[in-house]
């Protein structure tokens, strides 16, 4: 619906009409005295001529009256003459300056000599408080030498005439001003409307909508400029996503500088990038097993900014300053971590309850029933408020760039938007988004969707998750969805729904140079496990989570060993399972199930000290993980459902020997990018077993070829490209917002 914004007319009136009124006022101020003096001159000339005419008319009678020495006889004549409304009085002066005859109205104080002097000046004089014109005329007859008539004209009529002229002039100027103002405002309004709609079409991406208008060259100049800038951004965006163009930390940093003018960056996530814990009386730093941390941390290193996260380590409070800040990485500070404290009750309800007991199983097809409790929802809402308040407190400008991470913080975008309406909020959902029916199970589905739609951009790993999200919103909220532009407009604000496949930091030459050789890694890992140098290792490395397909992986190994007994004693699965969410029953039960399964399989194939499965339920540091990746023959990523999965990408990055085979679940987001992996349906145990066999028998040339291709994909589609794509979209939307705000400030806009 169109609404008329009165701002433009008011601005235009101020801009065009005020100067116009000023010009007209100045014109009136100068022209009125000019006209007054001009008309006065005409009037005086006119009165002079009238005086001469009256004198000529009366000359004969005066001559006769003087000759008969009866000036009194002139009185009736004089009386008749002053019936004229302008002629007020007449006097006849003798040669000696005496008054021979006068009408009664002639001022007694006016002597003949004074009248002569005034007449010579030919201007108005004031007598008895009235403006008058004095004219003296000689009576040119035989007996009237030295005799003259004094005629007094009232100038009151001239003052009235001058007043009338002034009023008339002012009225004409006022009407003229009003007509010019109204026409100006109307024309400006019409031109502005068409220009505004042109700008808006351009911003919507309708090329050619701002074709230069010959009638408004100044507008077309601005439009050209705008079009050029938008194209520049489009080109940069396209270039950024064209293969062959490398993305790295430096490029991301420079993009932030140029396109986002180095504006403040704030990240909020539940998980923190560094956890401080007490071990044997000492404080040690741990990097959590988290894909989110793997991806986001390099971005903060490159771009600086503030990362707000839950301080979950038992020594976290001892390592922050009075504002709960700590600079990270500790050896080379690049960004600030602001720790947020969440008490036990809230953590139980928000993290374990609503996020991981409800949303996690809701979004993953893992056949674990989600649990939703009112009390958990309250905690979830409260903690989201806490995060939102922290983001707002950290904001130094009115429109910072805010990156909200994951399903723990679905409500925060709306809460932040209410306080920082100009902020650019990017929410990234690191896990899958289910179909509308599944999501509909959640009793607070509308609230969650509303919260998320406070974002400027909502990112998912795949187009498929975007589609599910848009369908879910369509099912449960009254919104305007534009499929073509992938936007949802809700509460008058648009949100872009886009896929951004997350990735990892691609190690630099310098970093790679510091790695131990593949041979050393193979040897050391096998030695530690008591295995001989030729022993084949299949590696599984996950959080101890029921979505990761650890059960299916072990079953596949069992199936393989059953079908290929020659591998018994030669092949082992090394499974690292980092403890996670252990307070939840499902996770405890899952751990027991896996430990039992591993024990069963080990018992089934036990001979001469052989173990089919080495299960380590522990958190491994980055170096150890790297060593394992480099020592393995196969990496198994068999998630039964996964947003992306970064373990597979880390494995690829670690294999600079271009060897090793990746077996990847078709239900992990990464399978869409990593087509040279051996894809499996983890539910199909025999298929996975066959894939393992194929990997073990794969010729070195094929392994190389596949690994080379996988490496070039991950190198190219690294985490800087992920962030670059999101921030690039954010920059374009910010530019559009700014232009639109300017347009809105000047003109009428769509509601
Ligand atoms: O996969 C979703 C996710 O939030 C990841 O981003 C992260 O790697 C993982 O879960 C970690 O879970 P948590 O923070 O609960 O340990």
């Amino acid at each position: 619906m169109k609404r008329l914004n009165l701002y433009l007319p008011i601005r235009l009136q101020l801009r065009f009409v005020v100067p116009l009124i000023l010009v007209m006022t100045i014109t009136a101020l100068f022209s009125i005295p000019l006209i007054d003096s001009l008309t006065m001159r005409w009037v005086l000339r006119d009165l002079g001529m009238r005086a001469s005419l009256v004198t000529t008319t009366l000359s004969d009678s005066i001559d006769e009256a003087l000759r008969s020495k009866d000036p009194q006889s002139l009185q009736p004549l004089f009386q008749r003459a002053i019936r004229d409304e302008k002629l007020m009085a007449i006097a006849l002066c003798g040669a000696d300056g005496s008054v021979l005859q006068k009408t009664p109205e002639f001022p007694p104080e006016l002597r003949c000599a004074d009248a002569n002097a005034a007449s010579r000046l030919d201007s108005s004089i004031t007598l008895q408080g009235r403006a008058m014109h004095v004219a003296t005329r000689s009576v040119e007859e035989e007996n009237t030498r030295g005799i003259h008539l004094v005629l007094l004209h009232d100038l009151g009529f001239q003052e009235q005439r001058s007043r009338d002229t002034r009023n008339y002039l002012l009225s004409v100027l006022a009407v003229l001003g009003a007509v010019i103002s109204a026409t100006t405002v109307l024309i400006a309004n019409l031109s502005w409307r068409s220009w505004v709609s042109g700008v808006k079409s351009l911003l919507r991406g309708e090329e050619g909508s701002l074709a230069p208008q010959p009638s408004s060259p100044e507008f077309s100049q601005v439009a050209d400029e705008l079009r050029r800038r938008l194209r520049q951004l489009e080109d940069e965006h396209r270039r950024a996503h064209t293969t062959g163009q490398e993305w790295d930390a430096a490029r991301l940093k420079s993009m932030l500088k140029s396109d986002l003018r180095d504006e403040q960056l704030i990240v909020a996530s539940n998980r923190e990038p560094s956890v401080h814990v007490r071990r044997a009386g000492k404080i040690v730093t741990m990097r959590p097993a988290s894909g989110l941390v793997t991806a986001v941390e390099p971005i903060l290193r490159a771009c600086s900014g503030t990362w707000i996260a839950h301080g979950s380590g038992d020594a976290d409070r001892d390592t922050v300053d009075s504002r709960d800040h700590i600079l990270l990485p500790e050896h080379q500070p690049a960004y600030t971590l602001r720790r947020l404290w969440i008490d036990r009750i809230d953590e139980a309800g928000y993290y374990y309850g609503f996020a991981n007991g409800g949303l996690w199983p809701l979004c993953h097809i893992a056949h674990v029933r989600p649990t939703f409790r009112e009390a958990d929802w309250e905690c979830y809402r409260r903690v989201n408020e806490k995060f939102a308040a922290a983001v707002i407190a950290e904001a130094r400008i009115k429109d910072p760039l805010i990156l909200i991470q994951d399903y723990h913080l679905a409500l925060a975008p709306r809460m932040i938007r209410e306080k920082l309406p100009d902020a650019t909020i990017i929410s990234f959902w690191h896990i899958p988004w289910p179909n509308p029916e599944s999501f509909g199970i959640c009793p607070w589905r509308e609230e969650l969707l509303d919260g998320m739609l406070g974002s400027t951009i909502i990112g998912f790993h795949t187009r498929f998750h975007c589609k599910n999200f848009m369908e879910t919103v369509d099912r449960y909220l009254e919104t305007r969805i534009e499929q073509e532009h992938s936007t949802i407009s809700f509460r008058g604000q648009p949100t872009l729904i886009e896929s951004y496949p997350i990735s990892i930091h691609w190690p630099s030459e310098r970093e790679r140079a510091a790695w131990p050789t593949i041979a050393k890694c193979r040897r050391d890992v096998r030695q530690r496990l008591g295995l001989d140098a030729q022993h084949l290792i299949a590696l599984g490395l996950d959080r101890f989570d029921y979505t990761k397909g650890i059960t299916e992986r072990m079953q596949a190994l069992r199936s393989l060993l059953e079908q290929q007994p020659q591998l018994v004693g030669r092949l082992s699965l090394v499974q690292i399972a980092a403890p996670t969410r252990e307070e939840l029953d499902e996770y405890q039960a899952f751990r027991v199930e896996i430990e039992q399964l591993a024990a069963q399989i080990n018992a089934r194939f036990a001979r001469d000290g052989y173990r089919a499965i080495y299960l380590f339920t522990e958190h491994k540091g980055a170096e150890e993980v790297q060593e394992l990746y480099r020592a393995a023959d196969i990496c198994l990523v068999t998630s039964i459902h996964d947003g992306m999965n970064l373990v597979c990408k880390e494995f690829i990055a670690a294999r600079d020997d271009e060897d090793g085979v990746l077996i990847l679940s078709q239900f992990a987001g990464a399978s869409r990018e990593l087509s040279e992996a051996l894809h499996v349906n983890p539910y199909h145990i025999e298929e996975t077993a066959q894939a393992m066999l194929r990997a073990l028998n794969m010729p070195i040339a094929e392994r190389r070829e596949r690994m080379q291709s996988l490496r070039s994909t991950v190198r190219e589609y690294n985490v800087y490209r992920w962030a670059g794509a999101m921030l690039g979209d954010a920059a374009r939307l910010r530019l559009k917002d700014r232009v639109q705000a300017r347009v809105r400030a000047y003109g009428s806009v769509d509601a």
Side-chain angles (χ1 to χ4, degrees), residues 635 648 651-652 658-665 670-680 691 694-695 698 701-715 717:
C635 182
C648 53
F651 170 66
I652 292 166
E658 297 175 345
D659 202 353
V661 181
L662 173 65
I663 294 178
L664 179 58
S665 163
S671 67
R672 319 224 161 191
E673 291 175 275
L674 305 178
S675 46
E676 292 78 13
L678 297 184
H679 289 182
V680 294
R694 188 175 162 199
M698 193 180 280
E702 185 181 345
R703 296 204 303 263
R704 284 249 146 81
E705 205 178 314
R706 284 176 182 269
M707 187 50 83
Q708 276 169 357
S709 176
L710 289 169
R711 284 175 66 77
S712 88
T713 303
V714 178
R715 183 176 55 235
Y717 292 91

Side-chain angles (χ1 to χ4, degrees), residues 496-624:
L496 174 70
I497 314 299
E498 196 49 271
S499 64
Y500 306 99
I502 206 166
S503 195
I504 57 161
H505 157 75
W506 186 257
S508 66
E509 294 246 353
R510 202 163 51 86
E511 286 165 317
R512 285 205 300 272
W515 292 348
T517 62
I518 291 278
K520 180 169 168 24
C521 293
R522 289 184 70 90
R523 198 176 54 240
D524 289 356
V525 167
R526 282 169 178 77
Q527 256 174 23
R528 269 204 306 277
L529 295 173
L531 302 171
D532 66 57
Q534 306 312 317
H535 200 90
L536 298 166
I537 290 181
L539 175 68
L541 202 145
D542 312 84
R543 283 183 307 105
F544 217 145
D545 196 292
Y546 53 77
T547 59
K548 299 296 177 186
I550 301 173
T551 314
E552 290 74 8
R553 194 178 303 168
M554 289 183 172
Q555 287 169 347
L557 177 74
R558 180 172 60 196
S559 168
L560 178 66
L561 294 178
E562 279 168 355
Q563 285 163 32
Q564 305 291 329
Q566 77 282 5
L567 290 173
V568 176
R570 288 184 54 217
L571 166 70
S572 296
L573 168 67
V574 175
Q575 176 64 53
I576 313 295
T580 181
R581 307 169 192 171
E582 287 183 301
E583 312 225 343
L584 292 174
D585 292 347
E586 289 78 9
Y587 285 78
Q588 288 169 12
F590 181 65
R591 181 169 171 172
V592 170
E593 179 198 317
I594 292 296
E595 283 169 349
Q596 284 175 356
L597 182 61
Q600 275 170 20
I601 295 172
N602 280 342
R604 163 99 170 71
F605 299 102
R607 80 168 73 135
D608 305 331
Y610 169 67
R611 274 169 74 184
I613 299 173
Y614 289 84
L615 175 63
F616 296 99
T617 308
E618 61 193 40
H619 181 88
K620 297 269 185 208
E623 279 176 19
E624 242 183 302

Side-chain angles (χ1 to χ4, degrees), residues 271 289-292 351 360 406-408 430-431 543 580-581:
R271 186 59 63 208
S290 158
L292 182 155
Y351 175 75
W360 180 267
D406 232 351
Y407 58 98
H408 311 89
H430 288 256
I431 61 175
R543 283 183 307 105
T580 181
R581 307 169 192 171

Side-chain angles (χ1 to χ4, degrees), residues 203 230 233 256 259-265 397-402 417 422-426 456-457 726-741:
L203 292 175
L230 285 177
L233 277 174
L256 200 76
D259 292 0
L260 289 157
R261 299 191 213 148
D262 248 344
E263 275 164 10
Q264 192 192 3
L265 182 68
I397 53 174
K398 69 179 181 49
D399 56 354
L401 258 173
I402 300 167
R417 171 74 59 219
D422 298 323
T424 301
I425 306 173
I426 304 176
T456 318
I457 299 174
M726 281 193 306
L727 296 180
D729 281 344
R732 285 183 303 140
L733 293 177
R734 273 165 93 91
L735 182 68
K736 279 188 183 185
D737 275 355
R738 281 189 181 149
V739 174
Q740 251 157 0

